Amino acid sequence: MICLENVVTTYRTRRGDVNALNDINLRIEKGEFVVICGPSGSGKTTLLMTIAAMLHPTSGIVSVEANSLYAMSVQARAKFRAENIGFIFQMFHLVPYLNILENVLLAGGTVNNSNKNAKALELIEKFGLAGRHYHKPAELSAGEKQRTAIARALLNNPKIILADEPTGNLDSDNATSVLGYLSQFHKAGGTVILATHGVEAGRFSDRIINLHNGKVANPDKP
Ligand SMILES: Nc1ncnc2c1ncn2[C@@H]1O[C@H](COP(=O)(O)OP(=O)(O)OP(=O)(O)O)[C@@H](O)[C@H]1O
Ligand SMILES: [Mg+2]
């Protein structure tokens, strides 16, 4: 279970403070497929990064399976992230200098697994990119880049996938196939949290959480 208690995140900039998350309280059960919906600037990316153990909140507690993410050492948090969480970024975040195979292997983190190369090749094939593993991201279409990003997110067999606008840059066929892969991961027991300002992902999800100005607009009943 993922649990957020009184989470506040304020970005401090030279032009002043920006309150991105304003007292978020949230529980997401293991195996749920949750969609975080909200307009641009409502805090979706900030919330996902916070759950992904990548962004220390200004205050509040974030825990995954009773592990308090920001009470851990930096090293322990990185290990926990590598072993449990796959992240699909809003703009793919593929490294332009590395080929597809190397980009997928980037998810290596601290997990040591001699079969990683074979697993990466298997995922690349599964996502319809067989034969393209030595290509650079610039040589791929948007849909292919996103499938590479999904392969990377799945490399370490995570329990949780966090997907930030994974279909935002895709046409409807590619969007449907990406949502299909996430749905497969969910049906196999994985937890999915997907942020979007669209509505198309709603049909795959168990629950929609609406975010407005860094607040949950439809909070859990006590
Ligand atoms: N590094 C930063 N420094 C200062 N303010 C930031 C930073 N990152 C985000 N913000 C601000 O925090 C708020 C929430 O941003 P966030 O990126 O989480 O929104 P979002 O819902 O993901 O938006 P979008 O749909 O456009 O991706 C916005 O007001 C944004 O301007
Ligand atoms: Mg965003």
Side-chain angles (χ1 to χ4, degrees):
M1 185 184 66
I2 297 165
C3 191
L4 283 82
E5 292 169 67
N6 306 113
V7 170
V8 173
T9 298
T10 304
Y11 291 107
R12 300 198 186 284
T13 75
R14 283 190 301 164
R15 293 175 196 279
D17 291 356
V18 180
N19 289 321
L21 299 180
N22 289 308
D23 197 21
I24 301 270
N25 289 282
L26 205 55
R27 287 161 70 102
I28 295 170
E29 300 301 327
K30 199 171 174 187
E32 258 196 295
F33 190 140
V34 171
V35 168
I36 313 267
C37 213
S40 180
S42 58
K44 301 181 297 296
T45 297
T46 304
L47 179 59
L48 285 191
M49 304 274 274
T50 306
I51 297 172
M54 292 196 277
L55 182 64
H56 204 308
T58 310
S59 60
I61 298 170
V62 183
S63 56
V64 177
E65 302 295 334
N67 299 285
S68 181
L69 297 183
Y70 298 97
M72 294 178 189
S73 68
V74 172
Q75 292 85 347
R77 187 156 61 242
K79 184 168 188 289
F80 186 86
R81 183 169 59 229
E83 289 174 355
N84 293 281
I85 297 169
F87 202 100
I88 301 170
F89 292 91
Q90 189 158 7
M91 305 296 284
F92 316 127
H93 275 256
L94 300 177
V95 179
Y97 308 103
L98 301 179
N99 68 37
I100 299 318
L101 177 61
E102 290 164 333
N103 265 285
V104 173
L105 286 169
L106 261 189
T110 56
V111 180
N112 224 338
N113 176 358
S114 52
N115 293 326
K116 230 185 280 183
N117 211 57
K119 176 85 193 290
L121 288 169
E122 180 194 312
L123 285 166
I124 287 169
E125 191 160 332
K126 172 178 166 156
F127 292 118
L129 294 161
R132 302 300 299 277
H133 45 284
Y134 294 128
H135 287 235
K136 299 277 170 64
E139 298 160 352
L140 301 185
S141 71
E144 289 165 345
K145 280 183 208 159
Q146 196 57 305
R147 297 204 296 275
T148 302
I150 298 175
R152 180 176 61 191
L154 288 171
L155 184 72
N156 288 324
N157 290 321
K159 299 178 186 73
I160 303 166
I161 291 231
L162 303 170
D164 195 3
E165 294 278 3
T167 59
N169 298 295
L170 305 181
D171 63 29
S172 73
D173 281 357
N174 273 303
T176 304
S177 98
V178 163
L179 292 173
Y181 289 127
L182 292 176
S183 173
Q184 255 178 40
F185 173 80
H186 171 232
K187 286 195 180 116
T191 306
V192 179
I193 308 176
L194 183 155
T196 181
H197 41 61
V199 289
E200 80 287 358
R203 65 195 161 102
F204 291 95
S205 70
D206 300 321
R207 179 155 64 114
I208 295 179
I209 292 169
N210 291 306
L211 209 56
H212 280 282
N213 296 323
K215 268 192 177 305
V216 176
N218 53 339
D220 299 339
K221 295 198 176 68

